[in-house]
């Protein structure tokens, strides 16, 4: 029982409970699609909150990992014929690997230099997705097969509940990190990198861990959005996505535990 009252987990259960009731109050598939997208953006904003709100690293490339996760999930099924339950973890691992490789050199930059570098990376990936037609499908994108479980196609309502559960798990992990040792190290890096290093915090390791973790959140969000849209295209990695993330962060409250949910 003590676990329920730690790190705001009781409030998380309340949010999940409210989310599970929502489909009963809706009257159309369009409304269900809209509220499903809310949970996708909440998950995406959680990673950005850890990276920028808690650690102070302004990345303008979260939408890139969102797109890579979605493309990886779609391609592993459409081109290789993999099961979606295998494609999900493999796509997330691909995103984590890309984030680690990109993060090692790029996180040496700070403030607006980091923002510009991550934005440049994003523009490169979108350009590649548009032009490599044979691999990515170009502007038309790739169709995502419907999710089936035991031979039955998952309904829109079933997909909604899956997204709520995924966002709930993400929020618990988000709050646990903020409350723990890593969260305190992240806040120290945000407030003063030199001071944090003098206190024994491995600043490079902390920033890289959070960068990869934020990318993983974005990958799961991208997979969720791909399942809702039933296709993946270059718009997944375009600038309006990061504008939406920034808006959610500001409206919900940067650096707060429930800001991503409230903002979304």
């Amino acid at each position: 029982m003590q676990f329920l009252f730690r790190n705001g987990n009781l409030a998380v259960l309340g949010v999940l409970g409210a989310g599970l009731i929502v489909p009963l109050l809706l009257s159309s598939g369009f409304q269900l699609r809209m509220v499903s997208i809310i949970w996708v953006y909440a998950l995406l904003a959680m990673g950005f909150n850890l990276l920028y709100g808690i650690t102070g690293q302004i990345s303008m490339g979260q939408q890139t990992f969102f797109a890579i996760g979605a493309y990886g999930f779609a391609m592993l099924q459409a081109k290789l014929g993999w099961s979606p339950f295998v494609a999900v973890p493999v796509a997330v691992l691909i995103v984590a690997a890309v984030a680690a490789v990109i993060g090692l050199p790029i996180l040496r930059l700070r403030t607006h230099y980091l923002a510009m570098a991550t934005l440049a990376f994003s523009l490169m990936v979108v350009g590649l997705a548009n032009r490599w037609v044979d691999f990515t499908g170009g502007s038309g994108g790739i169709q995502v097969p419907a999710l089936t479980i035991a031979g039955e196609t998952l309904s829109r309502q079933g997909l909604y509940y899956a997204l709520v559960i995924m966002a709930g798990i993400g929020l618990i992990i988000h709050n646990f990190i903020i409350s723990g040792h890593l969260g305190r190290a992240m806040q120290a890096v945000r407030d003063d990198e030199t001071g944090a290093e003098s206190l024994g915090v491995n600043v490079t390791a902390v920033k890289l861990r959070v960068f990869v973790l934020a990318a993983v959140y974005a990958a799961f969000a991208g997979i969720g959005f791909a399942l809702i849209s039933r296709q993946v295209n270059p718009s997944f990695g375009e600038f309006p996505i990061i504008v939406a993330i920034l808006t959610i962060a500001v409206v919900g409250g940067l650096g707060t535990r429930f800001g991503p949910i409230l903002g979304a």
Side-chain angles (χ1 to χ4, degrees):
M1 289 296 292
Q2 289 182 351
F3 175 75
L4 293 177
F5 296 94
R6 293 173 57 189
N7 306 321
N9 288 333
L10 191 61
V12 173
L13 293 177
V15 170
L16 283 176
L20 294 174
I21 294 171
V22 166
L24 304 178
L25 309 176
L26 304 178
S27 59
S28 71
F30 174 77
Q31 292 174 344
L32 187 60
R33 173 185 167 86
M34 291 298 101
V35 293
S36 297
I37 291 173
I38 288 173
W39 293 105
V40 167
Y41 273 95
L43 194 61
L44 184 56
M46 288 175 208
F48 185 76
N49 189 51
L50 290 174
L51 183 62
Y52 182 46
I54 306 297
T55 317
Q57 305 303 303
I58 176 64
S59 169
M60 300 291 282
Q62 284 301 100
Q63 73 277 19
T64 311
F65 301 117
F66 180 79
I68 294 173
Y71 267 105
F73 176 69
M75 286 180 176
L76 289 171
Q77 293 181 82
K79 295 186 179 295
L80 299 180
W82 288 17
S83 160
F85 301 103
V86 177
V88 168
V90 173
V92 171
L93 286 173
I94 291 171
V95 170
V98 171
V101 171
I102 294 298
L104 281 171
I106 215 171
L107 289 172
R108 296 176 182 273
L109 303 172
R110 300 184 185 182
T111 63
H112 57 283
Y113 296 108
L114 176 60
M116 288 189 293
T118 50
L119 181 58
F121 172 63
S122 174
L123 295 172
M124 288 169 55
V125 171
V126 171
L128 185 65
N130 272 305
R131 290 168 177 78
W132 198 355
V133 179
D134 293 338
F135 188 62
T136 65
S139 59
I142 301 173
Q143 295 298 313
V144 177
L147 186 62
T148 57
I149 299 176
E152 296 290 330
T153 301
L154 190 67
S155 66
R156 288 185 178 182
Q157 190 166 329
L159 177 58
Y160 170 83
Y161 287 132
L163 291 171
V164 171
I165 293 170
M166 188 162 62
I169 294 171
L171 187 59
I172 290 173
I173 295 171
H174 172 273
N175 292 347
F176 177 78
I177 290 171
I178 292 174
S179 303
H181 174 75
L182 179 58
R184 290 188 290 273
M186 290 156 56
Q187 292 173 58
V189 170
R190 177 193 62 194
D191 295 338
D192 185 350
E193 287 191 20
T194 305
E197 199 159 13
S198 68
L199 293 173
V201 175
N202 188 334
V203 172
T204 302
V206 168
K207 291 198 291 186
L208 184 60
R209 285 177 192 171
V210 179
F211 190 76
V212 172
L213 182 61
V216 167
Y217 269 93
F220 276 112
I223 291 168
F225 197 64
L227 287 169
I228 294 170
S229 303
R230 295 290 301 279
Q231 71 159 355
V232 180
N233 58 62
S235 68
F236 278 48
E238 291 180 349
F239 193 71
I241 302 293
I242 191 62
V243 172
I245 299 170
L246 287 166
T247 304
I248 291 169
V250 172
V251 172
L254 271 174
T256 60
R257 295 188 180 189
F258 293 95
I261 297 287
L262 296 175

